[in-house]
Amino acid sequence: MTGAVNKIPGSDLVARSLRSVWHPCTQMQHHETLPLIPVSHGRGAWLYDTDGQRYLDAISSWWVNMFGHANPRINSALRSQLDMLEHAMLAGFTHEPVVQLSEQLAARTNHVLGHCFYASDGASAVEIALKMSFHSWRNNGLSDKREFVCLKGSYHGETIGALAVTDVPIFRDAYDAMLQHAHVVMSPDARAARDGETAADVARRAAAALETLLQERSKHIAALIVEPLVQCATGMAMYDPVYLQEVRALCDKYQVHLIADEIAVGCGRTGTFFACEQAAVWPDFLCLSKGISGGYLPLSLVMTRDEIYQSFYHGDVTRGFLHSHSYTGNPLACRAALATLAIFEEDDVINANRLRAARLTEALAPLAAHPQVSNFRQRGMIWAFDAVIDNAEAASTFSRRFFTTALEHELLLRPIGSTVYLMPPYILNNEEIDGLAARTQTVFEKVMRG
């Protein structure tokens, strides 16, 4: 094993963290009983704590780590970039990593999308897309188009604009008075199938509900925002690609922009590099973050069509998109992203993942058949199932109990409510795949027994 290892005693590091760090997406009082893990280092799919205990990172450290921790190829690329340029502002300047990355991503859309605009996190990318949509319509003389549409159960981030198109109460409700309210339409979630309906039927029914709204409000609606194929934070709600085909046609018909939030579902996570590829459509805006840098450095971006870019291209400065972040297009983050894209090509990752996915799905078959499991589902490198829990109190604590029990079995798994999901990195070997499946079942059965 190479690399420096943190020798600080775990209990001391945890105590110092609880005194000085406000941890994200956490009710801090829960850490009076919920373990806070003092991470020392990572290797491949594993994280190690300061006592040497290891944990299989089965959720890719919040869906960002594509090719394992301390990946040698990404490390090497970053070392080379450090000796060249760590950062330069992107206003009035440019550099090779950001240009290369923009070119390569545009090529992956057959140049339907390009003109990448950079930020550092997913919510910022969503903010950019929302602002661009509104401003583009205004520049085209349609300033009444200022409303947005999102799906029931949607999640697009926790800044003010992103929260306005988020429909997950635990994130949104506390700030509701601050938000511009979006239209919320039916989700195409396949779990909503009525007797005799297929997932495609649900998708078409949801699209019809959207058209009803567009018939009434299209003159005022700027954009519809969707997470293509999988609505992640609402519990890995998966749906048929026909929905994307239907809404693309509706957005064209009613002059409404389509924003694809591929922050979590892009970069191969659903089985194609961009989730939209599975519907053979392209949005007007495509947001990327999370896995694009391999889980190394904060990076996000928005890709858009040339006609939208041209709507800002003018001698009048007020028609320009005057949005910025200090670390926009950071060279180190872009270099990590280029190394990530290189791995996709060199290792034929999309095809290799099909084999990994098939093996893990097969290994999870006994769990899928468990009588207390419902709606077992899989899309690409995402697996999820819902725990059948009759007791309300047990349901309310299921996620924390599962997380804690999983740690005892060398797994990092963090359910969303009563939905257990797996989003592992793209490097698991057969032994790790089989171990992940077996341990997930062991943890589930132990938690369900109480």
Side-chain angles (χ1 to χ4, degrees):
M1 185 177 295
T2 60
V5 175
N6 192 339
K7 297 297 185 181
I8 299 171
S11 58
D12 181 52
L13 187 59
V14 167
R16 288 166 53 206
S17 187
L18 292 174
R19 284 196 302 267
S20 61
V21 180
W22 198 336
H23 292 265
C25 201
T26 300
Q27 169 49 265
M28 291 299 294
Q29 190 183 58
H30 289 168
H31 279 308
E32 291 180 5
T33 56
L34 189 71
L36 184 65
I37 307 302
V39 176
S40 167
H41 60 287
R43 294 289 181 272
W46 298 86
L47 291 168
Y48 295 80
D49 68 18
T50 52
D51 295 325
Q53 179 66 46
R54 67 177 189 168
Y55 310 93
L56 181 65
D57 190 353
I59 60 171
S60 299
S61 288
W62 256 349
W63 321 344
V64 302
N65 187 276
M66 299 276 111
F67 299 115
H69 299 282
N71 182 283
R73 283 181 278 181
I74 302 176
N75 287 356
S76 177
L78 285 173
R79 289 190 190 100
S80 297
Q81 185 61 44
L82 277 169
D83 290 331
M84 295 291 294
L85 177 67
E86 82 299 337
H87 184 65
M89 69 178 186
L90 206 59
F93 292 82
T94 194
H95 51 78
E96 187 66 24
V98 77
V99 173
Q100 279 191 29
L101 181 56
S102 303
E103 291 172 340
Q104 290 186 26
L105 289 172
R108 284 181 172 272
T109 72
N110 297 317
H111 300 282
V112 174
L113 303 175
H115 302 294
C116 298
F117 196 101
Y118 289 84
S120 57
D121 60 84
S124 295
V126 169
E127 297 275 346
I128 288 164
L130 297 173
K131 288 176 65 178
M132 277 185 175
S133 175
F134 163 76
H135 198 164
S136 176
W137 289 123
R138 191 183 75 171
N139 283 349
N140 286 323
L142 297 169
S143 57
D144 285 344
K145 293 176 77 67
R146 61 181 64 189
E147 299 173 7
F148 295 93
V149 183
C150 64
L151 302 184
K152 182 176 176 58
S154 60
Y155 174 89
H156 298 288
E158 293 163 38
T159 51
I160 295 300
L163 266 182
V165 290
T166 287
D167 185 49
V168 180
I170 196 169
F171 297 119
R172 177 192 171 103
D173 284 358
Y175 311 102
D176 187 72
M178 300 174 64
L179 306 177
Q180 174 182 319
H181 290 175
H183 300 281
V184 180
V185 295
M186 175 185 168
S187 167
D189 182 356
R191 291 175 296 179
R194 299 166 179 165
D195 287 346
E197 273 193 328
T198 66
D201 292 331
V202 179
R204 292 188 180 94
R205 184 155 52 88
L210 170 65
E211 183 165 24
T212 298
L213 172 66
L214 295 181
Q215 287 171 341
E216 298 173 356
R217 298 295 300 175
S218 62
K219 291 183 179 179
H220 301 278
I221 292 172
L224 163 71
I225 183 168
V226 301
E227 291 175 274
L229 302 185
V230 185
Q231 293 179 257
C232 293
T234 195
M236 300 300 162
M238 299 183 185
Y239 59 88
D240 193 281
V242 73
Y243 183 75
L244 298 177
Q245 296 170 349
E246 296 272 332
V247 299
R248 175 70 276 178
L250 289 173
C251 287
D252 290 341
K253 178 179 179 179
Y254 290 97
Q255 278 195 295
V256 168
H257 290 146
L258 176 59
I259 302 172
D261 175 354
E262 295 222 11
I263 290 161
V265 299
C267 300
R269 187 56 76 177
T270 65
T272 48
F273 188 84
F274 295 114
C276 285
E277 294 177 58
Q278 295 178 49
V281 300
W282 293 111
D284 301 296
F285 302 89
L286 192 150
C287 304
L288 279 182
S289 189
K290 290 193 182 291
I292 188 60
S293 73
Y296 266 69
L297 290 164
L299 180 67
S300 67
L301 59 103
V302 178
M303 307 176 70
T304 193
R305 295 174 181 264
D306 186 64
E307 55 265 35
I308 291 172
Y309 175 81
Q310 292 298 331
S311 71
F312 292 89
Y313 199 86
H314 196 274
D316 183 354
V317 68
T318 65
R319 287 177 59 107
F321 191 62
L322 306 182
H323 182 106
S324 63
H325 296 269
S326 299
Y327 284 91
T328 292
N330 173 260
L332 287 168
C334 290
R335 183 60 67 191
L338 286 167
T340 297
L341 293 183
I343 294 173
F344 269 98
E345 294 302 315
E346 294 164 7
D347 293 1
D348 193 16
V349 168
I350 298 299
N351 286 323
N353 275 354
R354 292 193 180 104
L355 299 177
R356 287 191 185 91
R359 184 178 181 105
L360 184 50
T361 299
E362 182 180 2
L364 288 167
L367 180 57
H370 195 284
Q372 290 177 288
V373 164
S374 68
N375 300 309
F376 181 89
R377 52 202 181 273
Q378 177 254 336
R379 170 77 68 174
M381 290 292 287
I382 306 174
W383 293 260
F385 61 87
D386 304 320
V388 179
I389 309 172
D390 296 328
N391 183 287
E393 182 179 355
S396 69
T397 61
F398 173 82
S399 178
R400 276 180 279 157
R401 290 185 292 115
F402 194 101
F403 171 72
T404 303
T405 306
L407 293 176
E408 296 169 358
H409 290 78
E410 296 188 333
L411 291 181
L412 170 53
L413 286 172
R414 187 180 167 110
I416 300 170
S418 59
T419 296
V420 178
Y421 74 90
L422 286 70
M423 291 178 69
Y426 304 162
I427 59 167
L428 297 187
N429 58 37
N430 288 341
E431 181 181 356
E432 289 168 334
I433 288 172
D434 295 343
L436 171 58
R439 293 181 188 193
T440 300
Q441 180 166 352
T442 298
V443 171
F444 178 74
E445 292 175 343
K446 185 174 182 179
V447 172
M448 296 302 283
R449 287 195 301 269

